[in-house]
Amino acid sequence: MPEETKKFQTEVQELLNLVIHSLYSNKDIFLRELIANAADAIDKVRFESLTSPSLKAEWQIKIEPDKTRNTLRISDNGVGMTRSEVVENIGTIAKSGTREYLAALKKSDSKNLPELIGQFGVGFYSAFMVSDKIELVSKKAGSDEKATLWISQGESSYTIDDAEMVEHGTSITLHLKPDCKIYLEDWKIQEIVKKYSDFIEHPVKLVSMKKQKDESSALEEEIINSQKAIWLRPANEISDEEYKQFYGHLSHFDTDPLLHIHYSAEGTSEFKALLFIPSKAPFDFLNPEQRKAGLHLYIKRVFITESCPDLLPEYLRFIKGVVDSSDLPLNISREMLQDNPGIHKINKNLVRKIISELKNLIEKDREKYNSFFTDFGRFIKEGVHSDFQNKDKLIELLLFETLNNADGKLFSLKEYSEKMPAEQKEIYYICGESRAVLEKSPHLEFLRSRNFDVILMTDPIDEWILQSIPEYSGKKLKSAGKGDFELDEKTKSEKEDKTKKAVEEHKTLVEFLKKTLEKDVREVKFSTRLTESPCCLVSGEHDPSIQMEKMFKAMNREMPKMKRILELNPDHPLVASLQSLYDKNSSDPKLAEFAEMLYDQALLTEGIPLADPIKFSKRVATLMVDGIKGEIGK
Ligand code: ADP
C-alpha cells in the first residue's frame, strides 16, 4: 500500500497540544504508558496462543537507549496492529466523552491540569511529552499483511507506510527532545521501571552499551523488573507506595487511590483480588459506555481479559482492579464468561467484601468516607435501587444533607433517626433543585417550627431511590410535600380542632375555590404544614411528586396531568379576607381572579412556570395600584 499522510482526529490534535504544551507534572510516566501498552499487547497474543500454538514466543519487552542517535526504542513481541488498526488506535481517541473532557481541560486553570489529564490517561500520546518525533512499526500476529510504519512529529498529521518486520509485535522509536536526554541513562530507565512497571509479568529488558572488562563496549541485556504479580503477594509485604504505583499502571490515573482492597478468597471460590476505589470520579463516569468497564481477569496468572464487566454489578463499575481465579478453566472463551457460574460466585463474593470495606470506612474514617460519598454516592444509590440482595446494607451507606445542618455536612439515616426528638414520628425528606430553594419551601414550615430535621435531596435520582425505601428502622420515610404528617396525639388534636373550626367558618369559600380551580386542583383543604405562607400545593400520598413531574417534562416524557391538592393556611389573614369578600358579595368577579392568583402563587413557590405569566403580572400591578392608593389615602 502507498505512503499516505493523514490528519489526526481533532480531539487527538487538541489532546496532543495539551500534552506537549502544558507543563505536565511527571514526564516519567510516558515509559509506564508505553510499557503498559506493550504488556497488554503481549497479554492479548498470549491469550490467542492458547488456541493457536504457532503464536507462542518468548514474550518480552525491550528498552533500547541509543545515545549516539538520541533515540529510545520500546519494543514488544505482542499482538501488533494492522495498518487500519494503527490508523484507528493511534490516530483517533475512541473514548467517549472526550470532547466534553477536553472542554473541561481547556476551561480549567493550569494548576488543575495535571490532575485532570491524570484522570483521563493519555496513554500513547504521553510519549510526545519527551519526543520531537515518534516512529512506530507494527506487525499483526497471525496476519499476512505487511508491517506498518507510522511517523509523526506530534503536530496535526502523521504519515503511514508499509515496512519490513520479521516478528509480530510493535516497536516504538522516540526521538527525544533536547531537554529529555536523561531518558537515555540506564539508571533513569531502571528507576522508572522499578517504580511503575516492576510487577509486569513479562520481562522488561534493558539493552544498552556496557563497558567490558577490557574497556571495550558491547551490547548487553538485563531484565530490570521483578515480574512479581503484586496481587499474588501477601498484603503485609506490600508497601503503600507499591499499591499506588500498581494503581497508576492499572487506571492510567495520575492521582492516588482513595482505598485499596487486597483480598484472598478461599472456600467454594478461590481467587485473589486487588481492587481500588479512585479518589475522584473519572470525568466520564456518567457515560453509558462506562457501564462496560470491568475488572481485569486472570486465571492462574494467565491474562484473560482487561475488562470483565460480569465480575461486578454495574453500580460498582467505578472500581478498578484485578481478579486472579484459581478455579476457573483456562480454556474459557471471553464470550462464555458472562454465564459462568464461577464468575457469578466471584461477583457475589466481591460485592460482599466491598460493601463491608465501605461500612468499615464509614465507621472508622468518616472524613474519607464523606469524600468517597461526595464523588461516588450516586453509584451507591443506584445499588440501593438495583441490588435487592444487598439493599439493606447499601442503605446504611447512604449519606444526606439535612435542613438543620450546614451545607455540605452529611448524615446517614442511622444518624438522622438517632437524633429524632421523641415526638417526631417519621423521617422527613424533600426533593428539589437546590438546597437554597428547598430551604425556603412552604412545605417545611411546620416541620421547621418544631425543629424536626428534614433530609434535603437535590439529585434527580434521589426521589426514585427514596421511594424504594419505605421505612428505616421502623420509621416511615415521608416526603414533606405529600399527604398528611403523622403527629403526636397532642399536636394532632390541636390541629384537628383548628381544621374543624376553619372548615366550618370557611365552608362557602372552600366550595367556591374548589369550583373555580376545578380544572387544576382536585381538592382544597386546610393545611397542617403551613405556618407562614397562605397556601401550597401538595401531592397525594401515592402520586408522583411535583419534582418528579418536572423531571419527566425535562426529559420530554409524557405524563398524565396530575391534579394536586391546594392547602390553605387556616391562620393566614388572606383566608379570612377572602371569606369576608365572599360574604359581602359572592358574585364579585374579583373573587375568581383572586382564586386564580392564589393558585398561581402556589405554583410559583414550587418553581413551576405559570400558564399565563402576563395575566398574573397584570393582576399584581393592579393590586399594587390599589395598595398604593390605599396608602396615600390614609
Ligand atoms: P489505551 O492504552 O488507554 O487504549 P493508548 O493511546 O495508549 O490508549 O493506545 C491506544 C491503542 O493503541 C491501544 O488500545 C492499543 O489497541 C493500541 N496500541 C498501543 N500500543 C500498542 C502496542 N505496543 N501493541 C499493540 N497495540 C498497541
Side-chain angles (χ1 to χ4, degrees):
M1 273 194 272
E3 184 184 1
E4 293 170 88
T5 300
K6 287 181 181 281
K7 280 228 173 310
F8 281 117
Q9 179 197 22
T10 327
E11 280 92 338
V12 176
Q13 282 185 38
E14 287 182 8
L15 191 64
L16 277 173
N17 233 318
L18 276 164
V19 169
I20 297 168
H21 296 117
S22 44
L23 283 179
Y24 199 78
S25 56
N26 183 6
K27 288 192 175 162
D28 290 0
I29 60 115
F30 84 89
L31 195 55
R32 171 189 85 187
E33 296 299 308
L34 296 185
I35 293 176
N37 282 348
D40 287 350
I42 293 178
D43 282 341
K44 281 181 196 150
V45 72
R46 186 178 56 173
F47 181 78
E48 284 176 25
S49 76
L50 292 175
T51 43
S52 312
S54 65
L55 291 176
K56 278 218 160 59
E58 191 189 320
W59 312 119
Q60 58 179 348
I61 298 164
K62 282 191 183 175
I63 304 181
E64 298 165 75
D66 183 336
K67 284 188 177 167
T68 50
R69 289 161 63 198
N70 245 328
T71 58
L72 182 67
R73 175 176 300 158
I74 294 96
S75 51
D76 64 69
N77 53 358
V79 70
M81 289 175 271
T82 60
R83 185 165 180 151
S84 61
E85 281 172 338
V86 171
V87 172
E88 203 172 300
N89 295 337
I90 308 290
T92 57
I93 303 179
K95 280 186 195 134
S96 50
T98 305
R99 201 179 299 271
E100 295 80 355
Y101 169 74
L102 284 167
L105 269 185
K106 275 199 220 146
K107 258 199 264 151
S108 90
D109 57 34
S110 56
K111 213 171 70 235
N112 295 328
L113 262 184
E115 197 183 313
L116 275 170
I117 293 185
Q119 275 184 53
F120 187 69
V122 279
F124 176 80
Y125 304 107
S126 64
F128 280 107
M129 291 191 293
V130 298
S131 324
D132 287 327
K133 176 172 148 186
I134 300 180
E135 289 169 77
L136 173 148
V137 188
S138 194
K139 185 171 161 67
K140 178 85 174 179
S143 148
D144 306 332
E145 201 181 298
K146 277 200 144 187
T148 302
L149 168 67
W150 176 99
I151 303 178
S152 174
Q153 322 222 353
E155 284 152 8
S156 57
S157 64
Y158 58 88
T159 61
I160 195 154
D161 201 357
D162 287 344
E164 292 304 324
M165 191 167 169
V166 185
E167 230 198 323
H168 59 78
T170 303
S171 159
I172 296 167
T173 307
L174 311 179
H175 294 260
L176 294 175
K177 290 185 177 175
D179 60 346
C180 293
K181 288 192 187 146
I182 192 172
Y183 296 111
L184 297 172
E185 301 295 338
D186 287 3
W187 65 265
K188 183 67 187 173
I189 296 167
Q190 275 166 323
E191 180 194 275
I192 302 177
V193 170
K194 197 90 217 136
K195 190 165 176 192
Y196 295 114
S197 316
D198 197 48
F199 38 78
I200 295 270
E201 224 192 307
H202 314 292
V204 176
K205 294 179 179 170
L206 175 61
V207 186
S208 65
M209 284 298 209
K210 291 265 162 60
K211 280 244 169 5
Q212 306 295 297
K213 276 190 190 123
D214 63 2
E215 288 296 307
S216 67
S217 294
L219 264 185
E220 270 188 23
E221 254 185 36
E222 183 191 355
I223 296 178
I224 56 173
N225 62 331
S226 73
Q227 297 173 251
K228 272 195 199 148
I230 184 170
W231 58 92
L232 297 179
R233 288 164 52 197
N236 57 9
E237 285 178 15
I238 305 170
S239 68
D240 267 359
E241 205 43 43
E242 283 177 288
Y243 280 125
K244 283 182 192 167
Q245 277 147 16
F246 181 65
Y247 172 71
H249 159 81
L250 204 67
S251 66
H252 303 267
F253 295 167
D254 227 28
T255 43
D256 291 341
L258 183 84
L259 190 79
H260 71 256
I261 302 172
H262 194 168
Y263 177 48
S264 175
E266 273 149 28
T268 52
S269 170
E270 286 193 11
F271 66 89
K272 298 224 169 9
L274 178 50
L275 310 180
F276 295 91
I277 297 180
S279 52
K280 282 239 172 321
F283 74 96
D284 57 350
F285 82 111
L286 286 179
N287 205 304
E289 224 167 89
Q290 270 292 107
R291 294 186 175 270
K292 285 186 251 140
L295 302 174
H296 294 218
L297 174 67
Y298 287 73
I299 298 177
K300 301 184 187 80
R301 279 199 74 179
V302 176
F303 170 85
I304 305 296
T305 170
E306 64 184 354
S307 163
C308 182
D310 304 294
L311 283 171
L312 285 177
E314 230 175 68
Y315 71 93
L316 292 176
R317 62 190 177 275
F318 60 91
I319 291 187
K320 308 261 167 209
V322 175
V323 168
D324 196 336
S325 156
S326 16
D327 45 27
L328 287 171
L330 243 184
N331 59 1
I332 193 165
S333 77
R334 284 177 217 187
E335 294 70 40
M336 277 166 63
L337 289 172
Q338 214 176 346
D339 305 312
N340 186 284
I343 295 277
H344 285 296
K345 264 193 208 157
I346 298 178
N347 178 317
K348 269 188 138 172
N349 200 325
L350 287 177
V351 174
R352 210 179 322 126
K353 180 72 186 166
I354 292 165
I355 293 178
S356 88
E357 289 287 326
L358 288 173
K359 182 159 180 277
N360 215 10
L361 193 65
I362 201 173
E363 285 161 7
K364 307 245 162 71
D365 189 344
R366 187 53 185 270
E367 209 175 304
K368 207 170 185 182
Y369 186 83
N370 284 356
S371 133
F372 161 78
F373 194 83
T374 307
D375 263 50
F376 298 100
R378 215 169 209 261
F379 293 92
I380 302 296
K381 289 173 188 169
E382 220 182 288
V384 169
H385 200 65
S386 62
D387 185 349
F388 299 108
Q389 239 160 13
N390 294 296
K391 183 172 165 183
D392 289 343
K393 288 188 202 149
L394 288 165
I395 287 174
E396 300 291 345
L397 296 177
L398 295 174
L399 296 181
F400 306 96
E401 280 194 33
T402 78
L403 182 66
N404 293 351
N405 289 286
D407 197 355
K409 281 204 145 197
L410 297 170
F411 297 88
S412 65
L413 280 176
K414 184 157 172 256
E415 289 159 342
Y416 175 101
S417 59
E418 280 168 2
K419 282 206 273 180
M420 277 167 64
E423 68 271 23
Q424 183 183 340
K425 306 276 179 231
E426 303 161 300
I427 297 176
Y428 297 109
Y429 67 87
I430 183 163
C431 307
E433 264 146 57
S434 69
R435 183 176 173 114
V437 169
L438 290 179
E439 277 178 339
K440 292 187 204 115
S441 168
H443 293 151
L444 305 187
E445 287 173 3
F446 167 72
L447 301 176
R448 196 199 293 271
S449 74
R450 281 303 167 94
N451 213 18
F452 291 171
D453 208 357
V454 182
I455 290 173
L456 305 177
M457 317 266 280
T458 49
D459 189 330
I461 71 166
D462 284 339
E463 188 162 358
W464 262 307
I465 303 310
L466 282 198
Q467 278 178 353
S468 67
I469 315 176
E471 59 167 55
Y472 177 80
S473 120
K475 295 177 187 91
K476 201 169 151 199
L477 266 80
K478 168 94 185 159
S479 162
K482 280 191 188 179
D484 293 318
F485 299 148
E486 196 184 321
L487 304 165
D488 63 281
E489 282 310 319
K490 188 167 160 274
T491 319
K492 199 169 153 195
S493 77
E494 278 170 18
K495 292 247 177 208
E496 275 170 4
D497 288 349
K498 182 170 270 176
T499 311
K500 217 168 135 201
K501 204 167 140 244
V503 168
E504 278 163 19
E505 276 174 21
H506 304 301
K507 203 166 181 234
T508 48
L509 176 68
V510 168
E511 276 310 313
F512 171 78
L513 291 175
K514 255 190 214 167
K515 204 152 181 292
T516 315
L517 300 173
E518 198 173 37
K519 70 176 198 331
D520 298 308
V521 163
R522 76 157 188 254
E523 200 182 336
V524 177
K525 62 185 227 179
F526 285 99
S527 180
T528 52
R529 75 190 79 217
L530 295 174
T531 61
E532 294 157 35
S533 309
C535 62
C536 70
L537 285 175
V538 301
S539 310
E541 192 77 54
H542 304 290
D543 289 346
S545 71
I546 292 171
Q547 181 66 11
M548 187 92 91
E549 195 178 310
K550 271 198 246 171
M551 206 163 82
F552 269 83
K553 271 215 184 104
M555 295 190 301
N556 268 334
R557 291 241 221 120
E558 280 293 320
M559 198 160 149
K561 183 177 159 68
M562 286 306 308
K563 282 195 191 178
R564 309 217 178 261
I565 301 162
L566 179 71
E567 286 196 354
L568 302 175
N569 180 353
D571 292 327
H572 201 283
L574 186 55
V575 175
S577 309
L578 280 175
Q579 182 68 55
S580 314
L581 187 63
Y582 184 88
D583 292 343
K584 203 173 141 203
N585 175 8
S586 64
S587 52
D588 187 335
K590 275 218 169 90
L591 275 169
E593 249 180 59
F594 288 158
E596 280 171 20
M597 285 183 86
L598 201 64
Y599 177 67
D600 282 351
Q601 271 186 61
L603 286 176
L604 284 176
T605 54
E606 292 300 331
I608 300 174
L610 303 183
D612 192 344
I614 312 268
K615 195 173 181 187
F616 182 77
S617 73
K618 273 190 186 153
R619 284 170 170 175
V620 171
T622 312
L623 280 184
M624 283 168 78
V625 171
D626 289 351
I628 293 167
K629 272 191 200 149
E631 274 304 304
I632 296 170
K634 257 187 204 167

